[in-house]
Amino acid sequence: MILAIGLAICVVPKNTIAQDTQDWRLQHLPEGAKARFGKGMITGNFASSSDGKRLAVTCSIGIWIYDTETDKPLNLITGYTGWVTNVAFSPDDTLLASASKDSTIGVRDARTGTELWTLQAHEDKITDIAFSPDGKTLASASSDETIRLWDARTGKHLRTLEGHLEGITSLAFNPDGKTLASGSHDKTVRLWDMETGKTLHAFIAHQDKGPAFSPKISDIAFSPDGKLLASTSEDTTARLWDVETRETLHRFRERNGNALSSVAFSPDGKTLAGGSYKTINLWDVQTGRYLRKLEDSINSKRLAFSPDGKTLISGNRYNTVHLLLNVKTGIELRKTITHTQSIGSIAFSPDGKILASGGLDNTVHLWDMQTGKLLQTDNVVERHSLASVAFRPDGKTVAGSGLDKTVFLWDVETGTVGPAPLEGVTEYQPASIGSPGACYVAFSPDGKKLAGTYYKGLLYLWDMQTGKRIRTITLNKQTDEHIDMMHGNSKFTSVTFSPDGSVLAIGCNDNTVRTWDAHTGATLLTLDKHSDTVFSVAFSPDGKILASGSADKTVRFWDAASGELIRTLEEHRGSVNSVAFSPDGKTLASNGGDGTVMLWEVSTGKQLRTLTGHKGSVEVAFSPDGKTLASGSWDGTVLLWDLAVDTMD
């Protein structure tokens, strides 16, 4: 079975491929971009070649091919306009198949990346793909409850298999090529005759159901000799079946009570591995005896034995692609390929030499702008994500606020990280990344104060020397009740200081922009022309204009002193989550929920340029010299756009 995680992909227009001697930061860039930091977020499964020498990994910018001995990238296959979710090598390793949530599948030459065919395959997202043992047929499973068979060389549709009552989760060919097995949300496993397309047998594979689990099938696998079939389920069990008699031979229970999401036989067929949350369970196939537990630092969504059976490869879509674990000892040999996850915030250091990014992998990344190398990567807190990062004006400290109960401070030089000793900061509560409940921070221009939003509709202002709370700013009771009714306890979405530090501006989920006197806490303005949540606010360098981006797909310019609406920009096709002024104040950058970034002439509102290349929501920031625009995306990459050359429309 090949694990699928549903994310979108579009038909591949052409192939592009890089070689291992190239600088990957500079390859396959969208027009106008000069570099890319990060290899893209893992968006689906991985697949090992039959000889175990290559590993194909799906990500937001294409498919990476890695050397499993060195962990170095061999190729990057690009040209996809969306996120690839499934990948599989043909048995002879000459073909590479890919699939996607938008129901397209395609086959390429595994060595060159040359596209052979790509087509619309299903009416719903594709959940798994698998080659037949002779490599001539490609099977695809879908949430549309069907399995479709294709000629792997031409893409010709051969047959559609129907019978499951709910979406199909997994596929596996019997090594003899005569039978195909499928698992489904309908709790059944079906065996199909490949010659006739008829169901040979259908049985309820899992029936256990606890308070937090359902018995839907998560993965299936045939033993190397084809005589046994294993299945795993969210009901925390794995089952072993006799293919000929259809009898249950063994029933295995996950020792920690976690759902089992993956299963694999060792090459000799003597051991069965079942992956769950941070644990891989090993059982003796013949006796059903529990052998041992392998501690895995990630949630194993995919398992594969090395050809010699001595090591296990595991992986998931969260940052780490796979680990090599010694099957006998359980010792982690090495944590190999890692990718950056979704980026929720970016910020330049005052000298422009470092770019900080924070995201869903619980880390802050400090990138060297000259080399693109990671200077520091520090974990924040387990299972919490960063919603905001900000450099202190002296460039020595980065503040980050997450979806947990605290604010963290990084020492840029040493990379050390720890909770900020700020009064009242433990009152922070978890929220969803990107939601109005997420916490955001901003330093005052002199670096002496730190502002942080609080999920109950409060803004805290702290003295950075003492950590004491200087002031708490809140919405008035009438408005507060109105927001409670509409949006629960989520109130603020962004915060920024005016260039002189005298005014605080905040975006709110009651569709308003609000400003306060930073010294006294007095309410100054309430700007209410937006028709949906305001996600981002920014002052122009001279402090005269306040820009706001909203879920209503607009950017608005306001007179910062009077609150008068100056201009509305309406070209975005999705929610505007980020706005930023260039250092000279002449240009505004804004992002759309469709992954695009637009550049605007501030004085006229004229659209100057549209930057395309991301596949997810984007955060933007100008370098201090104004020559570079950085865009960090939920696709797990940062793109650097060259603004020094006049390429404006």
Side-chain angles (χ1 to χ4, degrees):
M1 178 266 179
I2 300 296
L3 174 75
I5 299 174
L7 294 168
I9 177 180
C10 296
V11 177
V12 179
K14 61 180 180 179
N15 167 72
T16 52
I17 194 164
Q19 303 301 321
D20 60 340
T21 58
Q22 296 175 322
D23 186 342
W24 299 103
R25 296 180 306 118
L26 309 178
Q27 302 304 316
H28 312 296
L29 298 173
E31 183 179 357
K34 58 183 179 180
R36 177 192 288 115
F37 295 166
K39 292 183 288 186
M41 185 180 71
I42 306 304
T43 54
N45 72 323
F46 69 83
S48 178
S49 59
S50 60
D51 61 10
K53 295 181 179 180
R54 286 178 290 164
L55 193 73
V57 179
T58 61
C59 75
S60 57
I61 59 175
I63 300 174
W64 285 94
I65 309 295
Y66 290 97
D67 184 309
T68 56
E69 291 294 324
T70 65
D71 303 328
K72 292 182 178 179
L74 298 175
N75 295 327
L76 170 61
I77 301 175
T78 64
Y80 304 95
T81 56
W83 290 353
V84 185
T85 58
N86 299 77
V87 66
F89 280 99
S90 62
D92 62 3
D93 295 334
T94 62
L95 301 178
L96 191 69
S98 62
S100 67
K101 186 182 178 180
D102 73 349
S103 309
T104 60
I105 60 174
V107 171
R108 293 181 180 230
D109 184 293
R111 291 288 180 182
T112 67
T114 302
E115 179 187 19
L116 301 179
W117 56 269
T118 296
L119 51 81
Q120 192 79 20
H122 285 273
E123 296 177 2
D124 205 337
K125 69 178 180 180
I126 297 170
T127 55
D128 202 5
I129 54 175
F131 279 99
S132 61
D134 62 9
K136 295 180 179 180
T137 303
L138 180 68
S140 59
S142 171
S143 295
D144 67 9
E145 304 175 8
T146 70
I147 300 167
R148 302 195 181 187
L149 305 180
W150 313 87
D151 185 304
R153 295 287 175 178
T154 66
K156 179 182 177 181
H157 178 246
L158 302 176
R159 180 176 285 121
T160 298
L161 310 180
E162 297 180 299
H164 280 295
L165 301 179
E166 293 186 46
I168 300 164
T169 60
S170 50
L171 293 173
F173 275 97
N174 191 303
D176 64 11
K178 297 179 181 180
T179 307
L180 176 69
S182 59
S184 169
H185 283 280
D186 66 11
K187 311 170 191 176
T188 68
V189 171
R190 285 180 176 262
L191 300 178
W192 308 85
D193 186 297
M194 283 297 293
E195 185 175 349
T196 65
K198 294 182 179 180
T199 299
L200 295 174
H201 187 68
F203 51 92
I204 301 293
H206 292 259
Q207 301 181 44
D208 295 1
K209 186 174 182 180
F213 302 108
S214 70
K216 67 182 182 182
I217 311 302
S218 56
D219 198 9
I220 55 175
F222 278 102
S223 60
D225 62 8
K227 294 181 180 180
L228 304 176
L229 179 68
S231 61
T232 57
S233 169
E234 289 187 353
D235 69 2
T236 76
T237 69
R239 310 291 177 102
L240 197 61
W241 312 86
D242 185 299
V243 173
E244 185 175 351
T245 66
R246 322 309 196 216
E247 294 179 354
T248 303
L249 300 179
H250 299 297
R251 176 176 175 271
F252 310 114
R253 175 76 64 177
E254 205 285 325
R255 288 296 181 95
N256 295 328
N258 295 317
L260 285 164
S261 56
S262 53
V263 65
F265 281 94
S266 60
D268 62 9
K270 295 181 180 180
T271 304
L272 185 70
S276 63
Y277 179 70
K278 293 194 174 183
T279 303
I280 298 173
N281 301 269
L282 299 180
W283 296 281
D284 184 286
V285 170
Q286 185 174 4
T287 65
R289 183 170 59 93
Y290 184 80
L291 298 176
R292 68 184 61 87
K293 177 177 69 175
L294 305 181
E295 296 294 339
D296 195 350
S297 62
I298 61 174
N299 186 7
S300 299
K301 291 289 189 179
R302 175 82 171 98
L303 287 176
F305 279 89
S306 60
D308 62 9
K310 295 180 180 180
T311 58
L312 256 176
I313 301 172
S314 73
N316 72 359
R317 69 186 176 103
Y318 296 110
N319 191 33
T320 302
V321 181
H322 72 292
L323 303 169
L324 291 183
L325 300 169
N326 186 295
V327 173
K328 288 187 177 181
T329 65
I331 296 175
E332 182 178 307
L333 302 179
R334 68 183 193 268
K335 182 180 290 187
T336 54
I337 303 161
T338 58
H339 283 237
T340 304
Q341 282 197 54
S342 295
I343 294 171
S345 180
I346 58 174
F348 276 99
S349 61
D351 60 9
K353 294 180 179 180
I354 299 174
L355 183 74
S357 64
L360 293 182
D361 55 357
N362 315 330
T363 60
V364 61
H365 298 284
L366 301 181
W367 306 88
D368 186 303
M369 284 293 293
Q370 195 70 27
T371 66
K373 293 182 178 179
L374 279 172
L375 300 177
Q376 305 289 346
T377 302
D378 280 314
N379 189 268
V380 185
V381 282
E382 185 179 7
R383 300 187 199 175
H384 290 294
S385 305
L386 285 175
S388 177
V389 292
F391 267 97
R392 198 171 182 178
D394 63 7
K396 296 179 180 180
T397 305
V398 175
S401 62
L403 307 184
D404 60 327
K405 296 183 179 181
T406 190
V407 172
F408 291 83
L409 295 179
W410 283 262
D411 185 294
V412 173
E413 185 176 349
T414 65
T416 55
V417 59
L422 304 175
E423 181 184 358
V425 78
T426 55
E427 295 180 18
Y428 275 86
Q429 298 292 324
S432 299
I433 185 88
S435 76
C439 306
Y440 295 85
V441 291
F443 282 104
S444 61
D446 61 9
K448 295 180 179 180
K449 301 181 184 70
L450 180 69
T453 59
Y454 178 48
Y455 89 115
K456 290 183 177 178
L458 304 174
L459 177 95
Y460 286 164
L461 200 60
W462 294 286
D463 184 302
M464 282 299 294
Q465 282 193 320
T466 65
K468 294 294 184 181
R469 194 163 59 196
I470 302 170
R471 182 165 291 104
T472 300
I473 297 174
T474 184
L475 300 176
N476 63 62
K477 188 175 185 299
Q478 182 179 357
T479 304
D480 206 34
E481 290 174 348
H482 175 62
I483 299 176
D484 280 345
M485 181 176 65
M486 293 180 60
H487 303 280
N489 284 325
S490 299
K491 303 299 188 298
F492 297 133
T493 62
S494 53
V495 59
T496 188
F497 280 91
S498 62
D500 63 4
S502 64
V503 178
L504 274 165
I506 295 176
C508 304
N509 72 332
D510 67 344
N511 314 338
T512 67
V513 177
R514 295 167 186 262
T515 64
W516 285 270
D517 187 300
H519 302 304
T520 66
T523 300
L524 298 176
L525 298 170
T526 298
L527 314 176
D528 59 2
K529 299 297 184 182
H530 281 292
S531 60
D532 208 336
T533 298
V534 178
F535 282 121
S536 182
V537 289
F539 280 99
S540 61
D542 61 9
K544 294 181 179 180
I545 298 175
L546 183 62
S548 57
S550 168
D552 65 11
K553 306 178 184 179
T554 70
V555 176
R556 296 178 190 261
F557 289 159
W558 313 84
D559 184 296
S562 68
E564 180 184 353
L565 179 63
I566 300 172
R567 184 172 290 110
T568 300
L569 311 177
E570 300 180 314
E571 298 299 319
H572 280 295
R573 292 180 294 178
S575 176
V576 181
N577 298 329
S578 181
V579 292
F581 281 95
S582 61
D584 62 8
K586 295 180 180 180
T587 306
L588 182 89
S590 60
N591 86 294
D594 58 357
T596 62
V597 175
M598 291 186 180
L599 299 180
W600 310 86
E601 186 175 60
V602 174
S603 61
T604 64
K606 176 185 176 182
Q607 184 181 333
L608 301 173
R609 188 175 171 191
T610 299
L611 309 176
T612 59
H614 284 297
K615 302 178 182 72
S617 184
V618 180
E619 297 292 319
V620 292
F622 281 93
S623 62
D625 62 8
K627 296 179 180 180
T628 301
L629 180 72
S631 57
S633 172
W634 278 51
D635 64 18
T637 68
V638 174
L639 287 172
L640 302 181
W641 305 89
D642 191 355
L643 303 182
V645 180
D646 185 12
T647 56
M648 302 294 188
D649 294 335

